[in-house]
Structures are given as C-alpha cells and as structure tokens.
C-alpha cells in the first residue's frame, strides 16, 4: 500500500524561520513578522488574527518579493531528493501549512504531489484576506483526509513531519510521525525525532516499514 508523507513548512522544511518572516524580510519588516510569530506561538492570537495582521504588513508585496523570499529562505538540504525518492517508491508527498498558499504552492515545482496553505488573495493585493480560508491545526487534519481520498490511501498509511503545536492534531491521528527540529509542544508525541538541517536524514528515520 502506498504511503502519504505530509510535510509542515514553517520550522520544518524551513529551518528556524517561517514563510511570513522570510517574506517580510524582503520588505524590511522582519521584526514585525517575528513578533507576530511569537504572539501566535504563545496563543495570544489565533490564525485568522495572524493572517489579518500579516496581510496588513504586506500591502506593498509583489510577486518578485515572494520569489526572492522563496529563493533566499534557509531550506533544509535535500528536500527535492527526498520527494524524488518518495515518488520513485510509489508513495505520495504533500505540504500542508498555515502559511500563505502563494508561497506554499511554489513547492509543487520541487516535486510535491500537492501543496496547501492558507488562502490569500493574489499578489499584489487588491482584495482582503478571507478569514474562512485561513488554516488551523484542525484544518491540517481535514486536508490530510482529503488527500488520502485523492490518493487512495488511509490515515493508517500516513507519515507526518512537523515541528510545533500546529502539528499536534495531525500527529495524533497518523501512526508514524517525525518531529523535525521541534519545540516542546511535540515532546513525547512523535514516533521519531530529528534535529539537523538535512531532510534526507529525517526521512531515513521512517524507513520503508514505518
């Protein structure tokens, strides 16, 4: 039976940072984005409030800024190699992130079968962000279920990779999980734990048998 590998983005595929911070860096607003990351991590704001405030930071954002942020971001090594290996075995790989879809979906070019993020309007913004399109920890599970149906696999065939509280609900419903450079929220919840900057090493912890 094929497996579905579900990857978080912020703090997982991206080392020590988030897509909003990297995007904001291109606008000279890194400190503001870091403050928002700390607020949501501490539970002082939720995903809809976070999305609304980061949207306000990005009123001057262009596609060139987004592409520059993507290319300059501190990605883990060998992401494309891992996804090529997953594809070669007949398994599936997907990215599910609370970060903006316009950034997350760029990873389709690296070999992900699917990439889902919070729905933001196209850049440059001409319309507001819709709170109903902003993802949450629970939404990650719902998206995973939709992907399972799409690819013909079950939750029992899923492997989740994540680093923080937004991954707790997904880790709770799949049999195999890998905490990647994780914070205390995932302590004791993951099947495997990896600290480092090479996704291949994290992937190898899973093995073919899970």
């Amino acid at each position: 039976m094929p497996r579905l590998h579900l990857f978080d983005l912020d703090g997982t595929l991206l080392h020590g940072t988030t897509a909003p911070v990297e995007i904001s860096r291109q606008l000279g607003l890194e400190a503001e984005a870091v403050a928002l990351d700390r607020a949501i991590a501490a539970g002082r704001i939720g995903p809809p409030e976070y999305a609304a405030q980061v949207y306000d930071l990005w009123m001057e954002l262009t596609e060139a800024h987004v592409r520059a942020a993507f290319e300059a971001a501190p990605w883990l090594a060998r992401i494309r190699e891992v996804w090529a290996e997953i594809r070669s075995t007949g398994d599936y790989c997907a990215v599910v992130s609370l970060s903006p879809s316009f950034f997350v979906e760029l990873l389709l070019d690296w070999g992900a079968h699917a990439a889902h993020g919070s729905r933001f309007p196209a850049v440059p913004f001409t319309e507001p962000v819709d709170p109903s399109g902003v993802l949450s920890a629970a939404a990650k599970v719902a998206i995973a279920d939709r992907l399972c149906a799409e690819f013909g696999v079950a939750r029992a065939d899923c492997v989740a990779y994540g680093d923080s509280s937004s991954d707790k609900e997904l880790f709770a419903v799949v049999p195999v999980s890998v905490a990647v450079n994780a914070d205390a929220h995932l302590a004791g919840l993951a099947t495997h734990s990896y600290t480092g900057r090479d996704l291949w090493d994290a992937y190898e912890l899973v093995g073919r048998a899970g």
Side-chain angles (χ1 to χ4, degrees):
M1 175 67 70
R3 293 190 298 181
L4 171 58
H5 297 258
L6 297 156
F7 294 90
D8 173 55
L9 173 65
D10 300 319
T12 303
L13 297 177
L14 286 174
H15 185 265
T17 187
T18 67
V21 168
E22 295 306 304
I23 293 167
S24 299
R25 191 192 312 277
Q26 297 296 319
L27 299 170
L29 298 169
E30 176 186 359
E32 289 84 347
V34 168
L36 287 175
D37 276 4
R38 289 174 178 162
I40 194 169
R44 295 195 299 273
I45 60 174
E49 294 83 8
Y50 179 92
Q53 292 185 49
V54 82
Y55 171 90
D56 288 341
L57 290 181
W58 294 345
M59 296 313 297
E60 304 301 321
L61 190 64
T62 66
E63 290 186 11
H65 290 130
V66 176
R67 175 58 67 176
F70 185 87
E71 293 177 353
W75 299 100
L76 291 192
R78 295 199 284 181
I79 294 173
R80 280 169 279 198
E81 289 83 350
V82 168
W83 292 350
E85 175 68 14
I86 287 171
R87 282 177 169 269
S88 75
T89 65
D91 286 352
Y92 300 96
C93 52
V95 183
V96 184
S97 170
L98 274 59
S99 275
S101 54
F102 60 71
F103 188 94
V104 180
E105 289 168 3
L106 295 175
L107 287 167
L108 292 170
D109 291 339
W110 285 14
H113 287 94
H116 292 272
S118 293
R119 290 197 309 272
F120 271 66
V123 174
F125 298 145
T126 58
E127 56 187 275
V129 61
D130 181 355
S132 69
V134 177
L135 301 188
S136 63
K140 283 191 171 187
V141 176
I143 290 171
D145 285 341
R146 291 205 301 270
L147 291 171
C148 283
E150 179 181 343
F151 297 131
V153 302
R155 281 186 181 180
D157 308 310
C158 290
V159 182
Y161 303 75
D163 75 303
S164 65
S165 59
S166 71
D167 304 299
K168 287 179 66 174
E169 294 191 33
L170 186 57
F171 274 34
V173 300
V174 301
V176 180
S177 55
V178 184
V180 179
N181 297 315
D183 63 24
H185 290 99
L186 297 186
L189 297 179
T191 313
H192 307 283
S193 182
Y194 171 73
T195 301
R197 301 193 67 162
D198 192 326
L199 187 63
W200 190 277
D201 293 339
Y203 170 69
E204 282 197 323
L205 293 174
V206 175
R208 280 302 306 162

